[in-house]
């Protein structure tokens, strides 16, 4: 099994790794690149804990092969804050207690940011359906949905 | 004498169904001894695998507590939780 | 919403949690996030059969595979006695636990571990696991609780005789235990009733559904010392269980609590941890093990499916005169269903003179059940709250009113014996009744359901350390894995007690070498018990701070009081001293006797029972049976909400787990006893688009035994939703289903049958 | 396992043919990777067709549309003209999985995976779509209805893969709709699916109809009787009731972990008539 040498961009920086053809982008991010903020909850695309952006599209990194990232741009939770300045969503999640155990949080934040990047005035229903693929077992989603809506309102006001 | 109330299930096992038993004791450890003497196995069973509630407070590991004639003492299963 | 009472500066505020930034930036380390140099990956070989005798296990092919560092079976594990051993608060039969961790003679459920391998990569480990050859003799199996109690059912344990009955049965059976609680004379109660309703209910097995699969890294040194890093609800539990199972002294095992990605009771026992230690010992290298989602569903967690009969009688004016419950709960492969608490909580919200509850703990070929949020209570209270609802509607009494008529209050004796102290059940009913939600009219095909719930809450062992650093900041140590923001609550209580800025306190959940024993994070105990330890440790630190100020001032310590973070002279008689702040005292600590700290190691008593009342509106599509939850309000007595946002979060999250239990979650087995839906695709936990906002209303009737009045909040909110949803569906459809889950096919079939 | 990412149709065909059945095509990968991880398949080679220009993009094609095999559900949803012309086809594809899945999953993958419950398929068949199949003997046009042959099985021969799907041109007073029944609101596999495609004349009378059921047989069921119940009517209540009855009568479901025969039979009719009503409403406006 020859390993593939992949050159890609992760969180704006060029990155290289060796991976076997069957390894997923999730495996690669966690085990080769050391970015463990992206979580594995199911490995079947049903929980969204491994959400990342791939060339500007929200995807489950468990459903992308590591080799497919060649020449593409990957964005993970680790790239969401700007240095020590948290992204407004990250800040709002803290202020509004929109996380409990925090395990689904990276995936939820990446997904929510993808929504707000294209729609800064979503309805509650739009937020709920957009995030339907991000399972959270702790919060009942209430505070997550509110935090996303409130962040959008702040972004519109700014 | 202190009055100890058992659940009907525990009573069936150890006291022929009598749910209220009276023993001479000034504290819980004496109570266990007295219960064991009167109803072999009962004191041991309570100590190792049950809780005791004294005046409404559930104690998973009772031993040192004082008891009086006025104490309301109930024996119940241990409670954990998720 | 009650915000903080005036006298508190920090308690009752919505402070940002100290571990928050780590969690929103991906830095927080969960069970699977640690990688050690030289680490190998472990994998479990699991039984494909629901019930089978293990004839032989051939590990030679797996051992021969290049890259494999160790293969283990039950033969590598000490044999444990079949005797309950007190381990912390819980009674554990370590023979059962050992068999659950690694099957010895029989596999008792599909997914039970029978061997484990370690190899240099996960892929090789997986290959090696497939090379372990297990020769099984497949035996007849039984899953359903009522099937399992039948005379001719396959018996799981031929040495198990029903406990709790006299005389001891002569024949082994799957009924592990019988419990009974009674008060007064239930039959006399029914005789006095104008209306008696008796119904049978069933609930299906469900899983806690934490998003983080079980994960551990274990590293055993050649000198026998073990380091374990894992996600659990109690690293002291992990230490105790591994010590007992593997005969390793506790002092040699250090367990570090990883951040935990949800537990809900499902992480109050061990699965992978002892295997990882054994594999590490054999490999001579650190071993990481993680479960796949499928393994989580088949081989971990989960609670009972159940069958029950509930009978209640009431007078015309709604006074309940008699109550009877008969409960059958699946324990899974080994005894220990939550039938005890199910029986004790069943009628606990009500002030009843005549009540009897009988419960049966029944083994069957499923994974051994483990605690799930208020273990047992959602099941029994679902049945009871359904019958209360039916009594109300038959008698033409408002559902909140009938609960008010019968509500337990201070001095009420619960069926399980205890007389309640100060409780806030009526307050939750009043708050529910006062909501705009309860008064809002409904449309066609819509229905409203109300239900209440009770949970004991517990105390138990907790410890805390307050270290006053040289600059006046505070390092707070404790040992309760933080599953939903408890570090924030600990820091708030310490800040309030010490009178210092919340932000100057850094709380940490430290490892088992660094602090004393803690019972697990469970039973809604952490804010209560560990919080109590934190307050006591803070008070101990205050005593020391006062003593130091007294030395500086050269006065007697009794002449120094602590107010608002400062040492002050108790009166002008003591002398005219400028108050000294905590930071000022810390600065001179070395001159006054050395570092300053306070510690508390306690077994907390006096947990405060808690109640909740929920209101649920649904709309049912009469042609497809699909249920939409339109609106949901959850009221709960928290005693005191230390951090109201996380209290609301517990209430909202618990309510939604209960809604999932009511509507769509269930274990589905095929005819061979194999789980058909071991994934999030077909084990349907609620998703964001399934739900409305969950209005959480916190009622505060303080628990007099806690310094701030805390009762504990985590468990109650999962109890009422099962009946609240079911009662709402009954109101919307005119049909009472008396079974969960209320999946669309069930509802459509019920509607069709009623016509 | 090898990984290949050919840059041309011919190259892909050659790789597929050479592997002699031991190859799998990777488009969106949302089924393929799940099957790989679960050990359900262990191909010798995975062939990523996303670098082949013919598999990319949505192009207007003589009044219809040509949709590349690697076009994701999200891309389809973002294509305003496609959504306007074929709302039912697009909503079917968009029901496949979460937002994350939509970023990857393709309609063609859904078709080839041949699940009886595929959400992307009933409306596509109802639309009368065809697809371009490339293989060792060149390319051929095939009705999409002929691709799935049974659960998990399709009619593609060794060395073949689908390059694109073509949706035909259609008159103004025409539209389509797809509905499915799931226990939750998202993330589930359909218990029943129904796609309806309609053409109305200027008076609002239905002149052509197609009703396709999913998840109630080993493959989709084309219910001609349900379509006939709509044709010649103004898609009024009586016609919808007849459509429902015909759909329920045609359903041949099984009992499984997701639903019962009784349930699926009844709901087949409910969804067929509801989808027909929506399609008619769309066609009128």
């Amino acid at each position: 099994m020859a390993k593939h040498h992949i050159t890609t961009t992760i969180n704006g920086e060029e990155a290289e790794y060796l991976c076997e053809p069957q390894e997923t982008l999730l495996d690669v991010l966690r085990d080769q690149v050391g970015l463990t903020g992206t979580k594995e909850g199911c490995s079947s695309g049903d929980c969204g804990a491994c959400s990342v952006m791939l060339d500007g599209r929200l995807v489950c990194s468990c459903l992308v092969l590591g080799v497919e990232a060649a020449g593409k741009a990957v964005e993970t939770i680790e790239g969401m804050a700007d240095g020590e300045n948290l992204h407004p969503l990250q800040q709002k999640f803290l202020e509004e207690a929109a996380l409990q155990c925090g395990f689904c949080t990276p995936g939820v934040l990446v997904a929510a940011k993808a929504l707000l990047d294209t729609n800064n005035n979503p309805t509650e229903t739009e937020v709920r359906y957009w995030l339907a693929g991000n399972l959270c077992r702790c919060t009942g989603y209430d505070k997550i949905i509110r935090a996303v809506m409130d962040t959008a309102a702040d972004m519109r006001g700014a | 004498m202190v009055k100890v109330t058992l659940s009907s299930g525990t009573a069936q096992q150890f006291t022929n169904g009598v749910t209220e038993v009276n023993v001479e004791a000034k504290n819980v450890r004496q109570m266990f001894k007295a219960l064991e003497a009167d109803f072999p196995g009962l004191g041991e069973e309570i100590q190792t695998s049950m809780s005791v509630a004294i005046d409404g407070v559930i104690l998973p590991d009772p031993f040192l507590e004082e008891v009086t004639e006025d104490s309301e003492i109930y024996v119940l299963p241990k409670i954990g939780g998720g | 919403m009650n915000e903080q009472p005036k006298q508190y500066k920090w308690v009752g505020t919505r402070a940002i949690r100290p571990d928050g930034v780590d969690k929103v930036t991906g830095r927080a380390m969960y069970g699977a996030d640690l990688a050690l140099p030289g680490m190998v990956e472990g994998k479990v070989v699991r039984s494909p059969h629901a019930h089978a005798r293990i004839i032989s296990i051939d590990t030679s092919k797996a051992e021969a595979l290049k890259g494999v560092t160790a293969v283990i079976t039950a033969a590598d594990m000490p044999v444990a006695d079949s005797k309950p051993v007190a381990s912390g608060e819980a009674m554990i039969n370590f023979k059962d636990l050992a068999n659950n961790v690694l099957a010895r003679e029989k596999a008792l459920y599909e997914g039970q571990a029978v061997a484990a391998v370690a190899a240099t990569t996960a892929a090789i480990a997986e290959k090696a696991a497939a090379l372990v050859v297990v020769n099984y003799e497949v035996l007849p199996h039984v899953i359903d609780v009522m099937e399992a109690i039948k005379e001719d059912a396959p018996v799981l344990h031929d040495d198990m005789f029903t406990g709790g009955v006299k005389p001891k049965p002569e024949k082994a059976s799957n009924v592990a235990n019988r419990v009974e609680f009674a008060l007064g004379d239930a039959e006399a109660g029914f005789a006095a009733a104008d209306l008696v309703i008796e119904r049978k209910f069933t609930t299906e097995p469900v899983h806690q559904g934490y998003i983080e699969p079980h994960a551990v890294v274990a590293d055993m040194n050649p000198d026998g010392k073990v380091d374990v890093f894992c996600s659990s609800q109690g690293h002291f539990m992990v230490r105790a269980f591994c010590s007992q199972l593997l005969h390793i002294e506790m002092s040699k095992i250090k367990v570090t609590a990883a951040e935990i990605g949800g537990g809900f009771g499902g992480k109050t026992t061990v699965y992978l941890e002892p295997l990882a230690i054994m594999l590490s010992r054999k490999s001579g290298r650190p071993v990481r093990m993680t479960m796949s989602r499928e393994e989580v569903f088949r081989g971990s967690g989960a609670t009972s499916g159940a069958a029950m009969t509930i009978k209640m009688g009431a007078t015309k004016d709604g006074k309940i005169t008699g109550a009877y419950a008969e409960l059958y709960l699946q324990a899974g492969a080994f005894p220990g269903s939550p039938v005890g608490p199910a029986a004790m909580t069943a009628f606990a919200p009500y002030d009843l003179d005549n009540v009897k509850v009988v419960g049966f703990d029944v083994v069957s070929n499923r994974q051994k059940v483990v605690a799930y949020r208020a273990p047992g209570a959602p099941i029994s209270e679902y049945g009871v709250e359904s019958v209360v609802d039916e009594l109300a509607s038959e008698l033409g009494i408002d559902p909140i009113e009938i609960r008010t008529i019968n509500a337990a209050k201070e001095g009420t004796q619960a069926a399980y014996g205890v007389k309640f102290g100060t409780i806030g059940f009526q307050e939750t009913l009043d708050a529910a009744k006062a909501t705009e939600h309860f008064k809002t009219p409904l449309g066609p095909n819509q229905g409203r359901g109300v239900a209440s719930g009770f949970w004991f809450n517990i105390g138990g062992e907790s410890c805390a350390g307050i270290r006053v650093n040289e600059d006046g900041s505070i390092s707070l140590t404790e040992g309760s894995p933080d599953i939903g923001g408890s570090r924030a609550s600990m820091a708030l209580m310490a800040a309030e007690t010490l009178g210092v800025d919340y932000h100057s306190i850094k709380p940490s959940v430290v490892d088992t070498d660094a602090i004393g024993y803690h019972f697990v994070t469970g039973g809604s105990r952490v804010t209560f018990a560990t919080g109590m330890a934190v307050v006591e440790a803070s008070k101990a630190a205050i005593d020391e701070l006062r003593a130091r100020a007294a030395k500086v001032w050269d006065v007697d310590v009794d002449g120094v009081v602590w107010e608002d973070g400062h040492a002050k002279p108790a009166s002008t008689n003591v002398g005219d001293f400028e108050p000294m702040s905590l930071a000022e005292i810390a600065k001179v600590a070395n001159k006054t006797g050395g570092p300053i700290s306070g510690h508390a190691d306690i077994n907390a008593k006096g947990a405060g029972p808690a109640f909740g009342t929920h209101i649920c509106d649904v709309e049912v599509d009469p042609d497809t049976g699909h249920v939409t939850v339109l609106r949901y309000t959850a009221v709960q007595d928290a005693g005191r909400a230390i951090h109201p946002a996380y209290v609301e979060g517990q209430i909202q999250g618990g309510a939604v787990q209960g809604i999932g239990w009511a509507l769509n979650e269930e274990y589905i087995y095929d005819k061979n006893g194999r789980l058909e839906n071991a994934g999030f695709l077909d084990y349907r936990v609620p998703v964001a688009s399934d739900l409305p906002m969950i209005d959480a209303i916190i009622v505060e009737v303080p628990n007099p035994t806690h310094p701030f009045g805390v009762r504990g909040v985590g468990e109650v909110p999962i109890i009422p939703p099962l009946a609240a949803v079911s009662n709402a569906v009954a109101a919307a459809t005119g049909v009472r289903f008396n079974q969960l889950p209320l999946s669309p096919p069930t509802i459509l079939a019920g509607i069709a049958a009623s016509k | 396992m090898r990984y290949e990412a050919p840059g041309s149709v011919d190259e892909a065909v050659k790789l597929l043919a050479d592997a002699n059945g031991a190859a799998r095509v990777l488009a969106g990968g949302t089924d393929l990777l799940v099957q790989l991880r679960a050990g359900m398949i262990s191909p010798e080679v995975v062939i990523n067709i996303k670098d082949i220009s013919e598999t990319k993009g949505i192009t207007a094609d003589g009044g219809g549309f040509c949709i590349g095999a690697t076009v994701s559900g999200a891309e389809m949803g973002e294509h305003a003209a496609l959504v306007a012309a074929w709302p039912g086809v697009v909503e079917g594809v968009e029901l496949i999985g979460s937002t994350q899945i939509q970023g990857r999953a393709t309609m063609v993958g859904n078709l080839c995976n041949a699940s009886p419950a595929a959400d992307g398929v009933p409306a596509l068949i109802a639309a009368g779509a065809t697809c371009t199949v490339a293989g060792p003997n060149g390319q051929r046009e095939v009705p999409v209805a002929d691709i799935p042959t049974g659960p998990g099985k399709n009619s593609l021969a060794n060395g073949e893969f689908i390059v694109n799907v073509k949706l035909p041109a259609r008159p103004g007073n025409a539209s389509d709709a797809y509905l499915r029944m799931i226990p939750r609101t998202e993330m589930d596999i359909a218990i029943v699916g129904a796609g309806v495609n309609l053409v109305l004349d200027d008076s609002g009378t239905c002149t052509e109809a197609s009703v396709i059921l999913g998840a109630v047989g080993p493959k989709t069921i084309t219910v001609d009787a349900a379509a006939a119940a709509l044709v010649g009517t103004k898609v009024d209540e009586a016609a919808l009731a007849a459509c429902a009855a015909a759909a329920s009568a045609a359903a041949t479901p099984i009992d499984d972990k997701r639903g019962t025969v009784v349930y699926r039979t009844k709901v087949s009719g409910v969804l067929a008539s509801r989808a027909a009503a929506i399609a008619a409403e769309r066609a009128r406006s």
Side-chain angles (χ1 to χ4, degrees), chain A residues 30 39 90 101 137 143, chain C residues 24 30 33 208 648 665:
Chain A
R30 291 180 54 81
K39 301 301 181 194
Q90 292 172 313
C101 81
R137 193 62 160 167
K143 291 185 192 298
Chain C
V24 298
Y30 293 83
D33 294 342
Q208 295 83 352
E648 290 163 4
E665 292 181 35

Side-chain angles (χ1 to χ4, degrees), chain C residues 122-170:
Chain C
I124 297 172
E126 210 147 303
K127 228 181 241 173
L131 291 174
V132 173
V133 181
V134 187
N135 187 5
Y136 294 101
E137 177 198 346
V138 178
L139 303 170
H141 71 278
V142 63
I143 305 267
D144 179 78
V145 67
M146 297 315 276
E147 293 295 321
I149 63 171
K150 282 186 179 161
E151 200 52 25
D152 56 351
V155 171
L156 273 68
H157 307 279
D158 54 18
D159 58 349
M160 195 177 84
F161 303 88
T162 308
V165 293
K166 213 174 167 185
K168 182 183 163 179
E170 287 172 9

Side-chain angles (χ1 to χ4, degrees), chain A residues 136-140, chain C residues 203-204 206-208 264 372-374 377-379 382 451 614 616 629 632 634 650-666 683-686 691 694 714-726 740-742:
Chain A
C136 171
R137 193 62 160 167
C138 293
T139 64
Chain C
T203 67
E204 295 303 315
V206 296
H207 195 276
Q208 295 83 352
F264 316 107
Y372 180 23
R373 222 168 180 158
I379 295 170
Y382 153 65
H614 293 196
C616 173
V629 179
Y632 203 96
Q650 286 294 322
I651 295 172
Q652 291 161 338
V656 167
Q657 282 187 318
I659 291 169
W661 197 336
L663 287 179
N664 282 311
E665 292 181 35
E666 61 179 318
Y683 183 88
R684 306 185 195 96
V685 305
L691 297 158
I694 307 293
E715 323 229 24
V716 169
I718 200 176
I719 302 165
L722 281 67
V725 170
S726 177
L740 299 181
L742 295 166

Side-chain angles (χ1 to χ4, degrees), chain C residues 569-629:
Chain C
S571 69
T572 48
N573 296 339
V574 176
D576 183 19
F577 301 108
E578 274 297 301
M580 281 186 87
S581 71
L582 180 142
E584 285 165 339
I585 299 170
K587 208 181 282 177
V588 296
N590 288 350
K591 293 183 193 170
T592 56
I596 299 170
S597 66
H599 299 274
D601 301 279
I602 67 167
N603 186 354
K605 298 180 173 75
F611 295 83
T613 298
H614 293 196
I615 310 168
C616 173
D617 291 357
V618 302
E619 181 167 323
V620 180
D621 183 330
D623 296 320
T624 66
H626 191 272
V627 177
T628 304
V629 179

Side-chain angles (χ1 to χ4, degrees), chain C residues 244-309:
Chain C
Q244 278 277 356
L245 289 171
L246 303 176
H247 297 180
I248 303 171
E249 272 181 308
M250 283 191 190
S251 61
K252 290 206 166 128
I253 305 174
K254 179 174 99 175
V255 187
T256 303
E259 294 294 343
I260 168 174
F264 316 107
K267 292 178 183 168
T268 56
T269 188
V270 293
Y271 299 101
L272 299 176
E273 293 83 355
L275 306 185
I277 293 172
M278 289 159 72
L279 286 170
S280 177
R281 175 159 54 194
K282 245 185 171 171
S283 299
R285 296 165 74 163
V287 175
R288 175 164 67 183
M289 301 183 82
T290 59
M291 281 195 200
S292 68
R293 177 52 51 186
E294 208 183 310
E295 289 180 288
V296 170
F297 275 118
R298 291 188 207 280
S300 81
T303 192
S304 317
M308 61 191 146
T309 301

